Amino acid sequence: MTKYASFRTRLFSYLIDRKAVWITITLACFVILAGLVSIGVGEIFMTPIEVGKALMGYGTDMNELVVKQFRFPRVAMSILAGGALAVSGAILQGMIRNPLASPDILGITWGGALATTGFLAIFSDRADALTVSIQWMPLASFIGAITTGFLVFILSYKNGISPIRLVLIGIGLSAVLQALTTLLMILGPIYRASDANIWITGSVHGTNGKDALTLFPWVAILLLVLMVYSRRVNLQELGDDIAKGAGAMLMRDRIILLFISTGLAGGAVAFAGGVGFVGLMAPHIARKLVGSSFGVLVPASALVGSILVVVADLIGRTLFSPLEVPAGVFTAAIGAPYFVYLLYRSRNL
């Protein structure tokens, strides 16, 4: 039996790596298992079978209330946000050809954080009460992330977009946005600064079903568009000269890929905050498992990112109960040493 299987239609064709497909299916099973465990573990413990019954409407009234109103939306948001951040990082690493690239590096996460902090500071009165509905806060974060992404693009443009220039501009803009965010937290109400700090760290606490339903179509549409452009990323990883020789339109492709990456990261930040280092770690882990071909790297990265955030949220919710620690604390605890390792490994490049 050959290593690859072909899949053809009138519109497109794919060469599928059989091993990568099985690994992706295994990762999907791990996502489901992690989700069931996360839903079942807590002050009210449920077995995976009881969780399944509650999801299908055959559980007890208490179990259905806990699962459907509190835990399932939280797990669903963890899966969506983790997958979106991971794929966003995979796009940037492939397009820029830099293993250290991620939404954090380009300042997209901090753009959302600045908008969120500004929202809490501007729309709070002297009694520290919000003058508008807090439901508008995710929209503010999303606008901030999207604006930052296009600002990085505009500042990086000079007879085209250089991947190196894109990273340097992103690092500089990220530092500026981080400083402005800190300034707003100092000048704003103390209570709101605390809320903003939790949001920046990254947390899915308080997520409801409406939030998950809002994010799902956005992520699904962008992922479908990205799968169509997967070959474009494969070409860009070979270098500008080879990509141009193969007929790639680098400028147009980078604009579209940057929009997809920014949209995915912005959507995740809008609802789950800045869960750090997922966009850096997940693509590397997926690349070790399925290789660097972008057609299989996208779903594998999404699944790995989902697992990381679901597990981090489970640990943060249960390890220090009754206190809850944001999921971003644990992803950063793993991601920061991994980032140092990547820097050390790349020291002679």
Side-chain angles (χ1 to χ4, degrees):
M1 186 172 65
T2 61
K3 181 181 178 182
Y4 297 98
S6 61
F7 178 79
R8 294 187 178 95
T9 68
R10 291 184 178 181
L11 298 177
F12 56 85
S13 63
Y14 275 103
L15 196 62
I16 302 173
D17 187 329
R18 298 178 188 273
K19 179 182 177 182
V21 170
W22 283 111
I23 292 175
T24 302
I25 294 174
T26 302
L27 288 173
C29 292
F30 272 110
V31 171
I32 296 173
L33 178 61
L36 291 175
V37 172
S38 181
I39 293 173
V41 174
E43 293 185 6
I44 299 178
F45 178 81
M46 286 173 275
T47 64
I49 295 177
E50 290 174 330
V51 171
K53 289 182 178 179
L55 288 172
M56 293 184 292
Y58 296 105
T60 64
D61 292 340
M62 178 58 70
N63 284 355
E64 289 190 25
L65 175 65
V66 171
V67 170
K68 294 182 179 179
Q69 296 297 322
F70 301 105
R71 294 184 185 172
F72 178 73
R74 185 167 182 160
V75 170
M77 182 57 68
S78 298
I79 292 173
L80 289 171
L85 288 171
V87 174
S88 177
I91 295 172
L92 295 174
Q93 290 173 11
M95 182 177 68
I96 300 173
R97 303 190 302 278
N98 188 329
L100 304 178
S102 70
D104 311 78
I105 297 296
L106 292 189
I108 296 172
T109 300
W110 282 106
L114 176 62
T116 300
T117 308
F119 175 88
L120 294 172
I122 293 172
F123 294 106
S124 294
D125 56 22
R126 294 182 179 179
D128 287 347
L130 281 175
T131 57
V132 298
S133 173
I134 199 170
Q135 296 297 326
W136 291 102
M137 188 169 69
L139 177 61
S141 176
F142 177 74
I143 292 174
I146 287 289
T147 302
T148 302
F150 279 99
L151 185 59
V152 171
F153 168 77
I154 293 171
L155 294 176
S156 303
Y157 182 82
K158 183 180 180 182
N159 298 324
I161 300 178
S162 167
I164 297 177
R165 187 162 59 245
L166 195 69
V167 171
L168 294 176
I169 293 294
I171 292 173
L173 189 59
S174 180
V176 172
L177 293 172
Q178 185 175 357
L180 291 175
T181 301
T182 304
L183 180 63
L184 282 178
M185 291 177 65
I186 294 173
L187 298 178
I190 295 176
Y191 174 73
R192 293 302 171 193
S194 176
D195 285 352
N197 192 42
I198 294 175
W199 183 273
I200 292 169
T201 304
S203 175
V204 293
H205 175 67
T207 297
N208 55 53
K210 185 178 179 181
D211 293 338
L213 288 175
T214 301
L215 181 60
F216 174 75
W218 179 258
V219 172
I221 291 172
L222 289 177
L223 287 179
L224 287 175
V225 175
L226 178 61
M227 291 304 296
V228 175
Y229 271 82
S230 61
R231 294 181 178 178
R232 309 285 184 176
V233 185
N234 288 333
L235 282 176
Q236 295 203 24
E237 287 185 329
L238 299 176
D240 291 0
D241 294 335
I242 296 178
K244 288 179 180 178
M249 300 178 65
L250 291 180
M251 181 63 183
R252 185 198 66 181
D253 292 344
R254 283 174 179 166
I255 292 175
I256 294 175
L257 290 171
L258 184 61
F259 174 81
I260 295 173
S261 176
T262 304
L264 288 170
V269 171
F271 290 96
V275 185
F277 292 100
V278 175
L280 176 70
M281 293 187 295
H284 283 281
I285 297 173
R287 202 172 284 111
K288 292 288 186 181
L289 294 173
V290 300
S292 59
S293 177
F294 214 71
V296 293
L297 183 62
V298 168
S301 296
L303 293 170
V304 172
S306 297
I307 293 171
L308 289 174
V309 178
V310 169
V311 173
D313 179 60
L314 174 62
I315 295 173
R317 182 168 57 84
T318 59
L319 189 61
F320 300 98
S321 181
L323 298 176
E324 288 201 14
V325 180
V329 172
F330 295 98
T331 58
I334 300 173
Y338 188 72
F339 182 73
V340 173
Y341 163 73
L342 288 177
L343 285 174
Y344 177 78
R345 195 179 66 176
S346 306
R347 67 190 185 280
N348 294 324
L349 296 180

